[in-house]
Amino acid sequence: KILNEGETWRLVTPIFLHAGVIHLFCNVSVQLDVGAFFEREWGSGIWLFLYLTSAVGSSIFSCCFKPDNVSVGSSGAVMGLFGGKL
């Protein structure tokens, strides 16, 4: 439905939404710690590419396997950074 109706923005916006203050705090703290480390190691361009690719990929995955649920948070993008380290 997202691709058929041209609502591709829905694949990016969930990384900016969070399900509460604790969820937001946890994601931001991990991103500041781990994200900054990986950005220093890889450079800004590679870090941004991995982060956004992982974010959109996790949104697509979520839409395919749980189409009736709303997903929020940047956990998929953060896990993509860890996967990039492998």
Side-chain angles (χ1 to χ4, degrees):
K1 178 180 176 181
I2 289 174
L3 296 178
N4 292 339
E5 296 181 9
E7 296 179 353
T8 53
W9 54 271
R10 289 181 181 255
L11 298 175
V12 178
T13 53
I15 65 172
F16 300 109
L17 304 173
H18 290 81
V21 176
I22 295 173
H23 185 217
L24 176 65
F25 176 76
C26 291
N27 273 340
V28 169
S29 64
V30 168
Q31 287 180 35
L32 286 174
D33 185 35
V34 176
F37 174 76
F38 288 150
E39 186 178 8
R40 282 191 301 274
E41 185 174 330
W42 298 331
S44 297
I46 294 173
W47 182 90
L48 184 63
F49 175 77
L50 278 172
Y51 187 84
L52 291 177
T53 303
S54 301
V56 171
S58 65
S59 293
I60 291 171
F61 189 83
S62 178
C63 289
C64 289
F65 290 97
K66 295 210 171 217
D68 297 329
N69 291 350
V70 175
S71 63
V72 295
S74 57
S75 301
V78 173
M79 292 301 121
L81 293 176
F82 284 115
K85 183 63 178 168
L86 291 177

